[in-house]
Amino acid sequence: MTRVTISLVAAAGLVAVTACAPARGDWVYQWREATPQCRDHPDAPVIGRAAGMVGFEPTRSASFVGCFPSMDACYAWLGPLSGRFGGRIFITRCDPRT
């Protein structure tokens, strides 16, 4: 009986951790991985920002920041991304980096 109880407790803990961790199949995770990070491109002249609500049950927020070589590259990243938000969009913009 003790062995079964320990197994159930361990399984419940694994389910809880899995529910909190970002899934690699999740589009938010994939988009973050594909976004050019500013720390990797410190001289990029354009910064793009997007934030909004994703999902429906439960709803959560997601935000992205990337640095790009041109406004065109930023808008090419931003266009498809802004269509992925399933609710309210807080910000979608590309600006010269100061």
Side-chain angles (χ1 to χ4, degrees):
M1 186 61 154
T2 303
R3 186 180 217 175
V4 172
T5 304
I6 292 172
S7 296
L8 289 175
V9 169
L14 181 59
V15 169
V17 169
T18 303
C20 296
R24 291 194 184 269
D26 182 1
W27 76 264
V28 173
Y29 176 83
Q30 292 171 348
W31 208 273
R32 264 201 196 106
E33 289 294 308
T35 298
Q37 300 299 308
C38 295
R39 70 177 174 265
D40 298 332
H41 304 280
D43 297 325
V46 178
I47 189 164
R49 292 181 176 90
M53 301 303 289
V54 297
F56 296 101
E57 293 292 327
T59 303
R60 61 186 170 136
S61 61
S63 62
F64 305 89
V65 176
C67 289
F68 301 89
S70 67
M71 282 289 196
D72 288 340
C74 184
Y75 286 125
W77 166 80
L78 191 60
L81 174 59
S82 63
R84 299 300 304 254
F85 291 110
R88 192 168 149 202
I89 297 175
F90 304 124
I91 186 173
T92 54
R93 59 186 304 155
C94 295
D95 294 311
R97 194 169 175 190
T98 56

